[in-house]
Amino acid sequence: MQDRLFSIIPGYEALDAARRNPGDRLFVSDYHGGHPFVDEYLGDLAVTALPDLGDITRYAAVDEDLALRSRIADFHGHYDGVQRDADEVLAGGGSSMLISSFCTWLALSGVKAVHYVPPVYYKFAYLFRQFGIRPQPVADVHAFQPDFRLHLPDEKTVLVLTDPIWYTGRTVPIQVLDEIRAWQAATGSLVFVDNTFAYMQWDGTLPEAAARLDRDRTIRMICPTKFLSLHGYRCAWLLVPRELRTQLSHLHLNLHGEISLADRVFAHRACEVMIEGGGNGKLLRYVQDNYQHLLDKGALTDTFEARTGYFVFGRPRIPRERLLTMGQDFFELTGYPDHVRINLLNTTALEAL
């Protein structure tokens, strides 16, 4: 079963080469942002020189920034309705750094197998293979599909889950999270939730369903550069059980070192925007308008109904060979050979479609 997850790796490696030399193909499945609210979301960061943001002669020491970790805790209290404190926050660089720290911690802890709900991000597949960790799926299809069923083991283990299911703009149903919480209580298992695209539900639904999981047995990864679509900054954080924070923090720092001062200041700004500045509502309305424009002009002959984030998974009207795309093989999916991921913030791609 482990070959099932590892089968996505060649596609990503081939895509990495193709996107550097795409020819006349337009990359419609790209990762980048682009929206009219950049200056508004950045505030003073848009016009302030880096030396004016803080002491550039010192390391940023992001995880030692108690004010930031407390602000992150306030963020989750505001959005999840669950009171957190700084001792449950590990602040770091981008999501990939945190994933690598988590997978390294698993390997150093002697973990030989990890269960997962498909799909999971490519970096998990890559690192599991590098560390010799066997990925074992607990479902045959994805959680948004009508025949989805969980097959959770009866033993204590580690489960990796992605919510939202980013490429299709859908969330994991609440009843699935409730089933996982009950399983946590019965087995004592640890759950890692990739919440990278959380806090982007188009209808403003709160709280995030992953907040229902057992906080003492759950690690959640949050990425402010995603929910504001400002990817030039690199920051993310983990919500962790208190008993794991110190060892994970030490490991992460020794693996990756510090982030930049600009990234630390941005993390403060992201929390400020989301708590006090009206959140990312303007961005999400912009995404919805772009999606509706695609539908109105008949650019997609079939699509899943997107409800969150800024990707949609659909079948383009124009021939796929004219585009550079990410199809079902990138997401451990079957049954949709002509569907591709489309970035709703890529205006050039939207106009071409």
Side-chain angles (χ1 to χ4, degrees):
M1 295 293 282
Q2 62 181 344
D3 292 341
R4 178 174 153 181
L5 178 59
F6 294 157
S7 69
I8 72 174
I9 295 178
Y12 278 90
E13 293 173 341
L15 177 67
D16 189 54
R19 69 179 180 82
R20 299 172 192 274
N21 186 26
D24 58 359
R25 292 179 299 169
L26 184 63
F27 190 17
V28 301
S29 304
D30 67 294
Y31 329 96
H32 301 298
H35 56 79
F37 316 109
V38 173
D39 287 350
E40 178 181 342
Y41 288 165
L42 287 178
D44 290 343
L45 290 181
V47 295
T48 304
L50 183 59
D52 294 331
L53 298 176
D55 187 348
I56 60 173
T57 68
R58 301 175 64 88
Y59 286 100
V62 64
D63 196 50
E64 296 177 18
D65 187 340
L66 186 58
L68 173 61
R69 284 166 41 207
S70 297
R71 180 171 270 183
I72 290 169
D74 291 342
F75 168 93
H76 288 283
H78 178 79
Y79 277 88
D80 296 334
V82 178
Q83 189 58 46
R84 298 277 187 171
D85 62 47
D87 288 337
E88 296 173 274
V89 176
L90 192 168
S95 298
S96 292
M97 293 182 182
L98 293 172
I99 291 172
S100 69
S101 293
F102 174 68
C103 291
T104 302
W105 175 73
L106 290 175
L108 292 175
S109 300
V111 173
K112 301 299 183 183
V114 168
H115 292 80
Y116 73 98
V117 180
V120 294
Y121 183 45
Y122 155 78
K123 293 291 174 64
F124 282 107
Y126 174 83
L127 290 165
F128 287 164
R129 188 176 68 173
Q130 294 299 109
F131 286 126
I133 296 173
R134 299 188 308 277
Q136 300 177 338
V138 296
D140 298 322
V141 298
H142 296 187
F144 64 86
Q145 296 177 273
D147 51 347
F148 177 82
R149 297 290 184 277
L150 279 174
H151 307 289
L152 295 166
D154 294 332
E155 62 196 27
K156 182 177 181 180
T157 185
V158 176
L159 178 73
V160 175
L161 166 73
T162 304
D163 184 32
I165 305 169
W166 74 104
Y167 74 91
T168 193
R170 301 292 286 273
T171 57
V172 174
I174 287 177
Q175 60 267 28
V176 174
L177 274 299
D178 287 341
E179 183 177 351
I180 291 173
R181 178 183 171 88
W183 170 77
Q184 281 182 291
T187 64
S189 295
L190 178 71
V191 177
F192 184 102
V193 186
D194 180 353
N195 266 167
T196 299
F197 281 90
Y199 308 102
M200 299 190 70
Q201 294 206 51
W202 291 358
D203 64 0
T205 296
L206 291 172
E208 284 292 330
R212 304 163 72 96
L213 297 175
D214 184 346
R215 64 198 292 174
D216 294 325
R217 298 187 180 96
T218 302
I219 298 174
R220 292 175 58 201
M221 182 173 68
I222 312 298
C223 187
T225 65
K226 292 292 193 299
F227 57 64
L228 294 180
S229 188
L230 296 171
H231 310 305
Y233 287 96
R234 304 304 300 149
C235 64
W237 60 77
L238 298 180
L239 295 179
V240 298
R242 286 183 179 86
E243 65 180 25
L244 295 181
R245 206 205 87 81
T246 298
Q247 59 178 295
L248 287 173
S249 175
H250 287 171
L251 176 62
H252 185 74
L253 179 61
N254 280 285
L255 282 174
H256 303 291
E258 282 295 349
I259 65 174
S260 73
L261 172 64
D263 290 331
R264 192 188 86 182
V265 174
F266 171 78
H268 277 277
R269 175 60 185 171
C271 290
E272 178 183 339
V273 171
M274 293 297 286
I275 298 173
E276 303 165 6
N280 55 4
K282 291 182 179 179
L283 171 64
L284 299 183
R285 287 189 290 274
Y286 177 75
V287 170
Q288 292 175 75
D289 288 344
N290 287 348
Y291 179 49
Q292 189 61 50
H293 178 65
L294 273 184
L295 298 180
D296 289 345
K297 73 175 187 176
L300 302 176
T301 59
D302 187 28
T303 180
F304 294 107
E305 182 185 354
R307 300 171 185 169
T308 188
Y310 42 81
F311 293 118
V312 63
F313 197 63
R315 186 168 59 206
R317 175 175 47 81
I318 65 177
R320 184 176 171 184
E321 57 267 21
R322 291 168 51 186
L323 306 169
L324 184 58
T325 61
M326 300 173 71
Q328 64 177 11
D329 293 344
F330 287 83
F331 310 111
E332 202 179 338
L333 184 70
T334 59
Y336 305 92
D338 299 319
H339 283 60
V340 301
R341 186 180 84 172
I342 297 168
N343 183 348
L344 295 171
L345 293 176
N346 184 337
T347 55
T348 301
L350 299 185
E351 290 169 2
L353 292 171

